Amino acid sequence: IKKIKKLSTVKYKIEFEDAESITTYDNIILENNILLKKEIDSDLYLKLQCSNGYYEIYNKVVKYIVTKLRSEREIREYLKKYSDSNELVDKIIEQLKKENLLNEERYVKAFIEDKVNLTNYGPLKIEKELIDLDIDEELIKRYLSKYDNEIFISKINKIIATINVVIFESII
């Protein structure tokens, strides 16, 4: 190894004395103790290249999650764009769960909170959307039950009042 250069928050370029180079990820460097090694044999070089494919996809998924919390189903569908290997998809899902980047309970809580506070959705529509994402119904019911029906009744009353104003103004 001639030089290791940081390219971004997670990517590094390893330059070798023979003018070859490989772009890799911080996880791969740490897993293989690259910083401690002065030479890399062909087996390790091949391992680095194989690991790069995994971390390339993994980091895309992390960026996808960072923009908005996602359900496991959404992530699985997203991963289909990059790999048709169920084994790879399962491995990435497990790593995301282990690192708490994929957490169905947190997702349900945030989803319901957003829909209650930012939309006019009622409990049945919220529940249906979560069921469509293959979320456990018991988990949905547990978090939806924390909201009093008065919240939803208040939203309905506001909609009715708005409609009445529009009708009244159109008559005048």
Side-chain angles (χ1 to χ4, degrees), residues 51-125:
S51 296
N52 271 345
Y54 172 83
Y55 281 105
E56 185 76 34
I57 296 170
Y58 175 79
N59 284 313
K60 286 179 183 185
V61 173
V62 169
K63 285 180 185 176
Y64 182 63
I65 293 171
V66 167
T67 59
K68 174 186 172 282
L69 285 179
R70 309 288 177 166
S71 69
E72 183 173 332
R73 179 175 176 192
E74 289 173 299
I75 292 170
R76 285 187 182 279
E77 288 174 7
Y78 181 76
L79 283 167
K80 285 180 187 175
K81 291 191 241 179
Y82 301 104
S83 176
D84 53 3
S85 165
N86 289 333
E87 186 180 317
L88 178 69
V89 169
D90 290 342
K91 185 178 177 184
I92 290 173
I93 294 287
E94 284 308 308
Q95 184 172 356
L96 292 169
K97 285 179 179 179
K98 184 177 142 191
E99 295 174 355
N100 206 28
L101 292 170
L102 177 59
N103 180 317
E104 293 286 300
E105 198 161 325
R106 184 177 57 191
Y107 177 81
V108 168
K109 184 178 178 184
F111 185 93
I112 292 172
E113 187 80 21
D114 284 352
K115 296 302 179 187
V116 167
N117 292 320
L118 303 173
T119 70
N120 288 324
Y121 287 16
L124 295 177
K125 184 166 185 171

Side-chain angles (χ1 to χ4, degrees), residues 31 130 159 166:
E31 287 171 7
L130 287 167
I159 292 169
V166 170

Side-chain angles (χ1 to χ4, degrees), residues 6-60:
K6 187 172 187 167
L7 300 176
S8 69
T9 54
V10 294
K11 276 189 175 181
Y12 290 81
K13 182 175 185 177
I14 301 173
E15 296 177 9
F16 301 102
E17 289 179 349
D18 62 0
E20 275 197 50
S21 67
I22 185 171
T23 301
T24 192
Y25 293 88
D26 55 359
N27 292 12
I28 296 170
I29 290 173
L30 294 172
E31 287 171 7
N32 295 286
N33 294 318
I34 300 297
L35 296 175
L36 303 176
K37 297 180 180 179
K38 301 292 182 203
E39 291 185 26
I40 294 179
D41 61 15
S42 60
D43 290 339
L44 182 54
Y45 186 79
L46 288 173
K47 184 179 177 186
L48 293 177
Q49 288 181 317
C50 289
S51 296
N52 271 345
Y54 172 83
Y55 281 105
E56 185 76 34
I57 296 170
Y58 175 79
N59 284 313
K60 286 179 183 185

